[in-house]
Amino acid sequence: MIEYAAVALTTFFATVGPIDVATMFAAFTVALPRKERRRIAFKASFIALIILVVFALIGRFVLDSLGISMAALRAAGGILLLLIGIDMVFARHSGATSTTADEDHEAIEKHDIAVFPLATPLIAGPGAIGATLLLMAEAQGNLLHQTIVLSSLAAIVLLTLVSMLMAGEINRFLGVTGIQVITRVFGILLTALAVQFLFDGIAQAQLLSGGL
């Protein structure tokens, strides 16, 4: 149980990226009063949590409707998380866990950035959604594991909220170097988890033994 919780927390921390979100939040809200920043942080966290929980609850139904097997989900999820992990290790940014230049430009022009780009794609982005689907599918039929996944998801979103509320202090304390070190460490862990998911998917599909 502890091992499963550790996997879920590590995966969600890496794919959501609370510290990265806090850095972007600080940049987007630098000219806003403290009360408005708090409102945006709470609203963005709540919307992101709703998005991810919805995917967690109906994800299996969607996958079954599309005829996607568990083996395919494990392999695809492993590849997606592997790409994110590699980006984290080499301190690169992709659309899976961050915004593009065009999205940044659109966000600056918007008055309320809680929904876009904070709730999605920064918090509930493709990486986090993919991780949610994968972990909930792994926990299928095990109520305890499903509860652990949802609790871990809620914990990381809560940590992201706290990070946004303390964005200025975190940036000053860690600095660019500290943030990059944390990102790289979790990138390495996520890469290892991703490869394991990929191996599990290939093994379940029995590709190496001639199965489909």
Side-chain angles (χ1 to χ4, degrees):
M1 185 175 70
I2 295 177
E3 180 181 352
Y4 199 84
V7 169
L9 286 169
T10 300
T11 303
F12 284 132
F13 186 93
T15 53
V16 173
I19 296 176
D20 291 335
V21 172
T23 301
M24 296 297 294
F25 175 79
F28 285 139
T29 61
V30 63
L32 298 179
R34 182 179 181 85
K35 183 177 180 180
E36 180 66 8
R37 292 200 302 270
R38 288 176 59 87
R39 184 193 70 80
I40 291 174
F42 276 98
K43 182 178 179 181
S45 300
F46 177 75
I47 293 173
L49 181 61
I50 293 299
I51 292 173
L52 293 173
V53 168
V54 167
F55 272 99
L57 296 178
I58 70 170
R60 186 55 190 252
F61 171 77
V62 173
L63 293 174
D64 290 342
S65 300
L66 296 175
I68 300 174
S69 67
M70 268 298 300
L73 178 62
R74 284 192 176 100
I79 293 171
L80 175 61
L81 296 180
L82 178 61
L83 293 174
I84 294 173
I86 291 173
D87 281 344
M88 294 173 68
V89 171
F90 290 99
R92 298 192 301 240
H93 296 285
S94 66
T97 57
S98 62
T99 55
T100 63
D102 290 338
E103 288 172 334
D104 287 343
H105 179 71
E106 183 176 349
I108 293 173
E109 295 180 346
K110 287 181 175 291
H111 295 293
D112 189 350
I113 62 170
V115 178
F116 174 85
L118 287 176
T120 182
L122 282 178
I123 303 175
I129 292 172
T132 300
L133 290 173
L134 181 58
L135 290 172
M136 285 298 288
E138 290 277 342
Q140 185 68 23
N142 190 319
L143 183 59
L144 177 59
H145 283 182
Q146 290 177 334
T147 302
I148 290 174
V149 172
L150 292 175
S151 299
S152 299
L153 175 59
I156 295 301
V157 173
L158 178 61
L159 178 61
T160 303
L161 170 60
V162 174
S163 297
M164 286 191 288
L165 295 176
M166 300 178 61
E169 290 82 354
I170 291 175
N171 287 339
R172 284 193 296 270
F173 177 74
L174 293 177
V176 175
T177 302
I179 292 174
Q180 295 296 351
V181 168
I182 293 175
T183 299
R184 284 184 167 93
V185 169
F186 275 91
I188 294 171
L189 295 175
L190 183 62
T191 303
L193 286 172
V195 172
Q196 186 62 58
F197 283 135
L198 182 57
F199 285 170
D200 290 344
I202 293 174
Q204 184 177 3
Q206 298 181 337
L207 294 178
L208 299 181
S209 59
L212 295 178

